Amino acid sequence: TILIGGLAVPLSAQIQARRIAETQRTLNDAREALIGYAMTNTNAAGQPYLPCPNRNGDGKEGLRELNDKCVEPEGYLPWVTLGTAAQDAWGNRLLYSVTEGFAKKNTGLQNTDSGDRQICSASSNTDPPNDCAALKYVAENVPVVILSHGPNGWGAHSIHDTNMAPPPTTNTDEWENTNGDKKFVSRTPSDDFDDLVTWISADQLRGRICPPGGCP
């Protein structure tokens, strides 16, 4: 029965399922690598901080301004700095978006800090703060979002330094994950949505990297 069932599934579907599973593992590895970075990188006061997003494609963490703030809060996952995979299973860079304060080296992670990224179950893609409108939030006030643009690659940047086609503007859910704001959509895949999204909450970060008494 298992053999017959396996033969009934088209080969292309099996390959796609393997790629999705591989990319999900890549996202999980990236998540752990970011937490590991914060565990081993602290400022003079002992406060941990996260890396800046990569912007130029060399895989290293991005530049900081004079006040130690990231020049850009969104870009590619800095895979060289983190020692992670350079791309998803479709050959595209992973998007990495971080709340400014969590990657600001001179202040680092504070005990009361919360993130400013929102994860929605769907989007109307209107001007903030109405992107999610009356729709449900999956997670609120998260500091870190990591995203693969999935099999269709809409809005992605490939490892060959090519910008992939953007999603149709009518596809508001995938468009939300490419418009550079602080809201993202994560939901069950469908014919018009195949992005893979993971995130780290502020409490998860503190629970993993701060001592029992809290971060300095």
Side-chain angles (χ1 to χ4, degrees):
T1 303
I2 294 173
L3 178 59
I4 293 172
L7 292 174
V9 179
L11 179 60
S12 60
Q14 295 181 51
I15 293 172
Q16 197 70 281
R18 285 199 296 269
R19 287 177 175 170
I20 290 171
E22 176 187 337
T23 298
Q24 192 60 64
R25 288 193 296 271
T26 298
L27 288 169
N28 291 340
D29 289 345
R31 190 175 182 277
E32 290 300 308
L34 286 167
I35 294 172
Y37 178 101
M39 287 178 174
T40 56
N41 287 269
T42 57
N43 59 23
Q47 296 158 317
Y49 59 91
L50 290 165
C52 294
N54 174 263
R55 295 292 297 181
N56 62 7
D58 66 359
K60 299 177 182 178
E61 67 170 305
L63 298 175
R64 299 178 187 275
E65 297 176 347
L66 293 179
N67 61 359
D68 277 341
K69 182 179 74 172
C70 295
V71 173
E72 296 286 348
E74 183 174 303
Y76 316 129
L77 185 79
W79 69 91
V80 170
T81 298
L82 297 173
T84 60
Q87 72 279 327
D88 63 18
W90 302 277
N92 296 317
R93 303 295 186 204
L94 297 179
L95 181 144
Y96 164 52
S97 182
V98 62
T99 296
E100 178 182 298
F102 283 73
K104 194 173 181 182
K105 186 176 179 179
N106 62 355
T107 55
L109 175 60
Q110 306 286 319
N111 279 330
T112 57
D113 282 349
S114 63
D116 59 2
R117 271 62 180 153
Q118 319 297 331
I119 312 297
C120 311
S121 59
S123 173
S124 59
N125 198 38
T126 56
D127 291 336
N130 299 315
D131 298 53
C132 294
L135 304 169
K136 299 287 186 180
Y137 282 108
V138 177
E140 296 186 71
N141 303 318
V142 300
V144 176
V145 177
I146 317 164
L147 182 150
S148 161
H149 290 286
N152 65 32
W154 284 341
H157 189 85
S158 80
I159 57 174
H160 304 297
D161 203 29
T162 301
N163 289 320
M164 309 299 284
T169 54
T170 54
N171 187 331
T172 55
D173 288 351
E174 289 224 359
W175 190 264
E176 188 64 70
N177 290 342
T178 65
N179 65 2
D181 68 5
K182 299 175 181 179
K183 290 185 172 63
F184 299 87
V185 170
S186 177
R187 65 171 174 85
T188 303
S190 63
D191 290 341
D192 63 348
F193 184 87
D194 61 11
D195 290 358
L196 302 172
V197 187
T198 191
W199 58 90
I200 309 172
S201 73
D203 287 342
Q204 287 170 333
L205 265 179
R206 279 190 282 266
R208 293 283 299 275
I209 66 178
C210 295
C215 285

